Structure formats: C-alpha cells, structure tokens
Amino acid sequence: MNSHKSFAGTWILMKFMMRRDRIQIPLWIFGLTLTIFATLVSFEEMYPGEEDRQGIAVTMANPASIALTGPKLYLEDYTIGAMMSHQMLGMAGIVVALMSVFLIVRHTRKEEETGRAELVRASVIGRHAIVTAAFIWAISVNLGLALIVALGLGAVGVESVTWEGSFLFGAGLASIGLSFSALALLFAQLMEHARAASGLGAGAIAVAFSMRAIGDLGDETLSWLSPIGWAQQTSTYVDNLWWPLLLSLVFTTILILIAFPLSATRDVGAGLIRPRRGRAEASAMLHGPLGLAFRLQRMNLLIWGFAMLLFGMSYGAFIGEAEEMFGSIGDSLDGMLPSRDGGVLADSFAAMFMTVAAMIGSIPALQSILKLKSEENAGRIDPLLSNVVSRTRLLGSYLIVALLSSLFLMLMAGVGMGITGSQSMGDSSYLGTLTIAGLSFTPALWVTIGLAVAIYGYFPRKTSFSWAMVGFAFFVVYLGGVLQLPEWVTNLSPFTHIPRIPAEDFDVLPLLVLTAVAAVLMIIGWFGYSRRDITQ
C-alpha cells in the first residue's frame, strides 16, 4: 500500500470526529478560557500596586506554593503577568493535558473497543487514517485554544500582560496538550482497553506534575523532564523564552514516530501489551458479579495504588524541609494558615498536599464505578442480567469495588506521605497521623461516586458529567482563594468539608454528614438504574 492510500479517508474521519465533539470540546475550551480570564481580572483587582504584588510573592516563596504553582524564577518581579504564568500556566496545562488524552483515546482505542473502528476500516480507509485524523484534530483543538487564550489575554490591556507573553502563554498550553496527545496515542497502541489507556494518560500527567513540583523544590533537574516543566521554564511575561518549547516539539515528534508504525503492525482491537492467558476454569471469585467487577479493574487499581503511594512519599519528604524554609516568612503566613501549637507550617504543608492527593485519588475511584457504564455500552451487561444476577446485585458489586478502592487509594497516599513525612520531621507519630488524614478524605470520594451513580441511574448518556465534581474540586482548591469565591460556592465541593489533619483537629461530624449524602445519592441512582432500560 503506497503512502497516499495509507492516509485515505483522513479528512472525512476528522470531520466526523469534529461533529462528535461539537459540544464537548467547546465546553472544555470555554470553561478553561473563562477561568483564565477570571483569574487575570481577579489578580488585577486584588493586587493593584507593586507593593501588594511583591507581598504575595513573599508568601508564594515557600515549598507548598512552589510545588503547587511553579518555579521561583517568576517571583523576583511579581507583575500581574508573572503572577498569571506562575500560578495558572501549570494548572491550566493539567486541564489541557486531560482534555487531549481523553480526546485521543476517545477517537482511537475507544473506537476499536466498541467495534466501530473495524467497520470503518472495512471501507476505503487507509491504515494510518484513524490515528492521523485523531492527532490532527488534537493539534487543531490545542492550537485553537492557544489562539483564543493569546488573543484574549493580549486584548485585556494589562501593562505587564504583553502580546508576546500572551502568545507564549498560549503556545505553552498547546505544547503541553500536544505532548500528552502523542503520549495518549502511544498508550492507545499499547493497551487493549480505553480505560487502561486513559488511566495511563492520567497517571502520566500526575507523574509529570510531580516531577515538575519536586524539581522546582530542588535543583530543577526533574522539572526539565516534564512537559509541564518545559512550559513553565519559558518564563512567560518575564523573559519570554521560546526555546524550551522545542523540547516539547521533539518529545511529541519522537512519540508520533513510534506510535504510527505500531498502529499499523498490530491487530485491530488488540493492544501490543497482551493480557496474559487465563486459566482453563474460572476461579471461585468469578462465580459472582463482585469478583468479576474486581477482576476487570484490579490492574488499574494496583497501578493507581502504587502511584498514590509514590505521590505521598514524594511530598512527605519535604515536610521537614518546609518548616525551615517557612521560618523566615512565618510571621507573614500565620494569618493565612490554620493555627496550631508547634509545627504549624509543616502541618499545613502536609494538609494541603493531602487534599491534592484526595482529588487525584477521586479519578480512579470514579473510573471504577463508571466501568459499569462501559460494560453496558459494550453489550456485556445483557447476558449477566438474563441469568440469575439482579440489577441490584450488579450495581452493588461495582459500587462496593469503587468504595473499597477509594479507601485503598487514600490509605496508600496517607501511608506514603506518613513514611517519608515521619522521617523528615524526625517524629514517628506522623505515620499514624497522616494515614488518618488520608483516610479521612474517603467520604468526599464517596460523595463523588454517589453523584456518578445518581447520574448513571437516571441519565446514562450523561455519565461524563460526573467528572464535573472532580474538576470543580480542583477549581475550588487552586483558585477559590485567588478568586475570593463566596463560601456557599466553596461548600459545594465535598473536599472543603474534610478537617485538614494534622493542621486541624479530627472532627467526625462532617465525615458522617458526607457519608450520609453519599448514601442518599447512591440510593437515588439505584432507584433510577432499577427502572430504566439497558442501553448500548
């Protein structure tokens, strides 16, 4: 087959992808753009003078803030532009990376998993057409977002938010999106299921963020191994360095050169990493829906559990160092952090990152319950329900796995942070304290799962909206204080009601309330699921 025929049908497929994404992608772009512009306006109102901005720069020069936002290079002359790049480029980049991963997996591996790709390739479609169309569409989305953001920021008219910096800001976001689009395209060739490819993509984003954060807290070596770090090293609105984006371009090119040949050499519907052959006879665990639900998700849970352990250990190692680095600016921060006798700054540091760990942990927990929806879409639910398995038992099995997985994930995060945190602080009690801190966030994850069950029960075609709770939680934690959101808005996130242990005392009441809310949502979803039709 010549090169021309290998790409036959690419533009037709791309137009089809654009039609399928005509609602989702504009919502992603609108939400992200609105958040960026709202943040810029808020910064301008809250820090109108140079003295105000340098004052906040002092408070941002601490390990917790650097790990959450970006490197210190922005803090020397903390203009509105520098503030935007420092606090928003990395956070917005995570959203762009997620959007890109989901877009690629949706139009490649998901199409093969459902069997639609095989039908499409039975027509006059080249062997590279699907992956080419998906990647061109991802490029178009990311460049379109970059252009909208650049033109919008430049048109605001803030003195330090220059046109060159605005276009570099947009290009930085696009570079992150394209890097993870290429990475997702590779994962789509390796994995046999869309959920595994998406999980690896989300895990790669978490690793990239962690490498950037740990690198910025140290000598920045690890920051130069992260696509998010490359975008932030452009020093947007400060030095406006374009050359770090070349690293992203090289990284993307290498991954594409690897992924494209792989897409043509493997079988349609199969991944290069083949699942191992099962036993001739099913184990006792597979005699019921609970065992089946766990079996389908065990590898994903093990990978995420290990990732949560590493995440906790990575940040726990800096708790002791945070106490020293905070010492010189402790007086200016006392009014901003929860008060506690001794170790207030280190405790607040630990509590802040345990909150971040909980929000990250909600991603695989939500994937766990939404696995039932993918099984329904694939038509594998009907044979189960036509036997002796009831809907209550089937939904309950996936719900049990989701609830226990959230408990397991937060246990791993707490233990990981406790192991290294106790060593860095020289206090063995931190192991138990931080383990409890991690487990205390479990009811917040249960509320997220309960909302997903309620949506799935009544509106199965809208289950993707379940991710809105996770996105809103990140928005509240990272931008709630910056945008000075009203208290009633922040209270809509279940994560804001969890006591910030060890900076705050343990309080069982909000945990019981959140558990009750989760139970009500699950019951509502169960009623809907037991009465609606099973769809495909």
Side-chain angles (χ1 to χ4, degrees):
M1 182 180 289
N2 60 44
S3 59
H4 176 72
K5 291 182 179 180
S6 297
F7 297 94
T10 297
W11 297 112
I12 296 175
L13 287 174
M14 181 179 169
K15 286 190 285 187
F16 177 64
M17 294 174 184
M18 293 171 64
R19 177 170 176 77
R20 290 187 62 196
D21 290 344
R22 65 187 184 278
I23 296 177
Q24 289 188 9
I25 294 302
L27 286 177
W28 277 95
I29 294 177
F30 175 77
L32 182 59
T33 304
L34 181 64
T35 301
I36 291 173
F37 290 156
T39 303
L40 175 59
V41 173
S42 176
F43 282 160
E44 200 174 12
E45 293 178 353
M46 293 176 61
Y47 312 107
E50 181 178 354
E51 184 177 349
D52 299 319
R53 294 191 292 271
Q54 290 307 124
I56 193 64
V58 172
T59 64
M60 295 297 292
N62 63 75
S65 296
I66 291 172
L68 277 173
T69 54
K72 299 177 183 179
L73 59 89
Y74 293 96
L75 299 177
E76 184 175 347
D77 184 15
Y78 214 43
T79 62
I80 296 295
M83 194 179 299
M84 275 293 299
S85 188
H86 182 228
Q87 299 189 32
M88 282 301 298
L89 186 54
M91 295 300 104
I94 293 175
V95 178
V96 174
L98 284 171
M99 176 188 70
S100 301
V101 167
F102 293 153
L103 184 152
I104 289 292
V105 174
R106 169 183 170 84
H107 293 299
T108 54
R109 174 51 58 184
K110 186 67 174 179
E111 293 296 282
E112 294 187 38
E113 187 175 331
T114 58
R116 289 190 291 263
E118 191 169 5
L119 292 175
V120 170
R121 292 184 64 160
S123 183
V124 188
I125 297 296
R127 60 182 180 178
H128 292 313
I130 294 178
V131 292
T132 304
F135 193 68
I136 292 176
W137 176 223
I139 292 175
S140 302
V141 170
N142 280 284
L143 292 182
L145 172 65
L147 185 61
I148 292 172
V149 170
L151 293 176
L153 290 175
V156 170
V158 178
E159 182 180 357
S160 58
V161 182
T162 61
W163 279 105
E164 182 184 2
S166 297
F167 277 100
L168 184 55
F169 187 98
L173 292 180
S175 72
I176 296 174
L178 293 179
S179 294
F180 283 99
S181 294
L183 198 58
L185 199 61
L186 177 61
F187 290 152
Q189 313 312 315
L190 299 178
M191 310 309 295
E192 189 168 326
H193 300 288
R195 191 166 299 278
S198 297
L200 281 177
I205 295 171
V207 170
F209 177 80
S210 299
M211 291 176 66
R212 194 279 311 158
I214 296 172
D216 288 345
L217 289 171
D219 60 2
E220 295 191 354
T221 300
L222 287 178
S223 299
W224 287 101
L225 300 177
S226 167
I228 299 175
W230 299 333
Q232 292 190 318
Q233 289 295 330
T234 57
S235 189
T236 307
Y237 296 121
V238 180
D239 299 315
N240 290 332
L241 305 175
W242 287 84
W243 67 264
L245 299 185
L246 294 176
L247 297 174
S248 178
L249 180 61
V250 172
F251 179 73
T252 301
T253 303
I254 292 174
L255 291 178
I256 290 300
L257 292 177
I258 296 174
F260 266 65
L262 294 180
S263 69
T265 56
R266 62 177 178 82
D267 292 334
V268 177
L272 290 173
I273 299 179
R274 302 290 183 87
R276 66 180 180 87
R277 297 182 64 180
R279 300 189 304 179
E281 296 181 2
S283 64
M285 183 182 70
L286 294 178
H287 289 176
L290 179 59
L292 177 61
F294 172 74
R295 175 62 181 270
L296 293 174
Q297 304 177 59
R298 63 180 182 179
M299 185 55 64
N300 190 52
L301 291 177
L302 287 175
I303 292 173
W304 272 100
F306 182 67
M308 294 296 290
L309 178 67
L310 292 181
F311 182 89
M313 293 179 69
S314 298
Y315 287 108
F318 290 97
I319 294 178
E321 183 180 348
E323 188 73 22
E324 295 180 8
M325 297 181 70
F326 277 154
S328 61
I329 57 173
D331 294 339
S332 63
L333 289 173
D334 282 343
M336 301 174 60
L337 300 174
S339 59
R340 186 180 178 89
D341 295 334
V344 56
L345 300 174
D347 289 349
S348 298
F349 176 84
M352 179 184 300
F353 281 104
M354 191 60 72
T355 304
V356 176
M359 292 187 296
I360 294 175
S362 66
I363 296 174
L366 198 53
Q367 285 180 330
S368 184
I369 189 63
L370 294 181
K371 175 64 175 175
L372 182 58
K373 172 58 179 173
S374 65
E375 293 294 294
E376 181 177 340
N377 290 341
R380 293 188 285 265
I381 294 297
D382 296 308
L384 292 176
L385 295 179
S386 65
N387 205 334
V388 294
V389 178
S390 66
R391 293 194 183 198
T392 300
R393 189 179 175 193
L394 182 62
L395 178 60
S397 299
Y398 279 86
L399 191 54
I400 289 173
V401 172
L403 296 177
L404 293 181
S405 66
S406 61
L407 192 67
F408 166 70
L409 292 167
M410 293 314 302
L411 174 65
M412 296 299 285
V415 169
M417 192 174 294
I419 290 174
T420 54
S422 60
Q423 294 177 347
S424 65
M425 290 292 291
D427 185 354
S428 60
S429 66
Y430 263 77
L431 176 58
T433 300
L434 292 177
T435 300
I436 294 174
L439 292 174
S440 67
F441 274 95
T442 305
L445 273 67
W446 289 349
V447 172
T448 304
I449 293 171
L451 179 62
V453 173
I455 295 175
Y456 174 60
Y458 284 96
F459 310 101
R461 298 184 183 277
K462 305 296 182 183
T463 51
S464 59
F465 286 98
S466 305
W467 294 103
M469 177 67 77
V470 179
F472 181 72
F474 274 99
F475 175 78
V476 168
V477 168
Y478 284 113
L479 297 176
V482 173
L483 300 179
Q484 295 184 324
L485 296 176
E487 185 176 357
W488 69 268
V489 174
T490 59
N491 285 339
L492 294 177
S493 170
F495 295 91
T496 61
H497 300 280
I498 303 297
R500 299 309 195 257
I501 303 171
E504 299 174 357
D505 294 328
F506 177 78
D507 186 1
V508 71
L509 181 59
L511 307 186
L512 294 176
V513 172
L514 289 175
T515 302
V517 172
V520 170
L521 290 171
M522 293 172 193
I523 292 172
I524 292 173
W526 175 81
F527 273 108
Y529 181 70
S530 63
R531 287 163 174 76
R532 69 170 175 82
D533 293 333
I534 298 297
T535 59
Q536 293 187 21

